Amino acid sequence: MTLFFTSNTHFGDHRTLNIHKRPFGSVAEMDALLVERWNAAVGPDDEVWHLGDFARKAADVPGLLARLNGRKHLVRGNNDPPGTSAAEGWASVQDYVELAVDRRLLVLCHYPFRSWNGQHKRSVNLHGHSHGKLKPLPRQIDVGVDAWGYRPVTLEHLL
């Protein structure tokens, strides 16, 4: 099992094409590439932490989750409608997570923090929200698809 992180897929959201200047001719093209790259990176037995802004419409979430490889956790973002959290297919749903991986504390939230638990003890803040446009602090990493080739990434790759 490999551990992956991602954020800001914004499946089905036409606003993302314009606001964040994604290089796709349509939402369908964007969604198809996001699914293709997710499944090329993530295997069926892998685990993915999605740090928010999964999809525009909650009604689309169960079908998308069924098409995407891996065991999927959601850390809610500001553009996740209420029904997204309730959709069948999430292994867990929360607003904030502290995860110990290889003797390192990972602080997971949709939003980047100015400071976080264990910041001066090698902990890492993984976040989304900023679409690769925020200058990071040391050990603070934007895991959003805009910053990582429109695919989930491993902790090893992020570090």
Side-chain angles (χ1 to χ4, degrees):
M1 184 222 39
T2 304
L3 189 59
F4 287 87
F5 300 90
T6 193
S7 182
N8 298 94
T9 47
H10 288 279
F11 285 106
D13 194 343
H14 68 279
R15 301 170 305 170
T16 308
L17 297 177
N18 299 322
I19 295 169
H20 300 293
K21 308 288 190 251
R22 288 191 176 172
F24 305 105
S26 68
V27 170
E29 180 185 334
M30 176 182 75
D31 288 357
L33 183 108
L34 287 168
V35 169
E36 176 187 317
R37 290 197 178 169
W38 179 303
N39 288 336
V42 177
D45 297 323
D46 293 334
E47 191 163 332
V48 181
W49 286 88
H50 193 291
L51 306 188
D53 291 359
F54 182 75
R56 173 93 167 130
K57 297 177 190 168
D60 295 343
V61 174
L64 285 163
L65 291 173
R67 293 174 54 204
L68 296 169
N69 288 341
R71 185 169 181 245
K72 296 161 284 289
H73 302 270
L74 176 66
V75 177
R76 282 183 285 260
N78 60 304
N79 287 303
D80 289 315
T84 294
S85 300
E88 188 173 320
W90 294 116
S92 70
V93 177
Q94 51 274 310
D95 294 312
Y96 173 90
V97 174
E98 292 186 2
L99 199 66
V101 177
D102 298 330
R103 297 177 11 182
R104 180 186 303 268
L105 179 66
L106 304 179
V107 176
L108 312 180
C109 189
H110 179 66
Y111 305 101
F113 295 129
R114 181 77 172 148
S115 62
W116 57 91
N117 186 24
Q119 179 177 6
H120 301 295
K121 297 179 182 176
R122 295 185 18 142
S123 72
V124 178
N125 171 218
L126 301 181
H127 67 89
H129 190 65
S130 59
H131 292 264
K133 293 183 171 95
L134 182 67
K135 182 180 178 186
L137 297 172
R139 292 182 313 284
Q140 181 181 63
I141 304 166
D142 181 349
V143 301
V145 295
D146 299 282
W148 298 98
Y150 302 100
R151 66 175 40 97
V153 289
T154 65
L155 181 61
E156 178 182 75
H157 191 78
L158 291 167
L159 296 174

